Amino acid sequence: MTEQKHTRKEAIALSYDPNAENAPKVVAKGKGEIAENILTKAKEHQVPIQEDPTLVELLGQLEVDETIPEQLYQAVAEVFAYIYQVDREHGSRENNSGK
């Protein structure tokens, strides 16, 4: 019998309010079914999702409500840049479709 390696899905949700916080913080995290729930809620609320297993592994070491350490600023900044780009594109499409 061969043993198959099954990796459980993992998700980390970040939040950042530059007017209230010095750095983004972890607002939810989980593996397996909890990760699926985080991703489902993100999709329901049209929150952009970016897959980066290495970053998820690093952020997974943090606790909920913990701000990200300075060493991860660059990587997380890239995620937020992606999210802002998706938001702009989505807003542009809505404006062009008359919504």
Side-chain angles (χ1 to χ4, degrees):
M1 203 179 244
T2 61
E3 187 176 322
Q4 292 182 353
K5 183 177 180 182
H6 177 72
T7 56
R8 288 177 34 171
K9 186 169 279 195
E10 186 171 0
I12 309 289
L14 299 174
S15 175
Y16 180 54
D17 179 354
N19 297 318
E21 302 163 339
N22 293 328
K25 68 179 180 177
V26 174
V27 293
K29 71 178 201 170
K31 294 180 181 180
E33 191 173 321
I34 294 171
E36 292 292 343
N37 289 338
I38 291 169
L39 294 171
T40 298
K41 290 291 184 192
K43 290 174 187 172
E44 286 174 2
H45 296 284
Q46 299 176 342
V47 173
I49 298 169
Q50 183 177 20
E51 293 186 34
D52 185 334
T54 303
L55 186 56
V56 168
E57 184 178 336
L58 293 169
L59 291 173
Q61 298 172 22
L62 302 176
E63 297 298 323
V64 172
D65 288 329
E66 186 175 351
T67 58
I68 64 163
E70 199 169 323
Q71 301 90 318
L72 296 179
Y73 282 6
Q74 181 64 38
V76 171
E78 291 173 16
V79 171
F80 278 94
Y82 164 79
I83 291 168
Y84 292 138
Q85 178 185 350
V86 169
D87 281 348
R88 276 196 308 273
E89 290 171 2
H90 182 73
S92 175
R93 273 186 250 130
E94 280 188 356
N95 290 338
N96 290 334
S97 67
K99 287 186 179 178

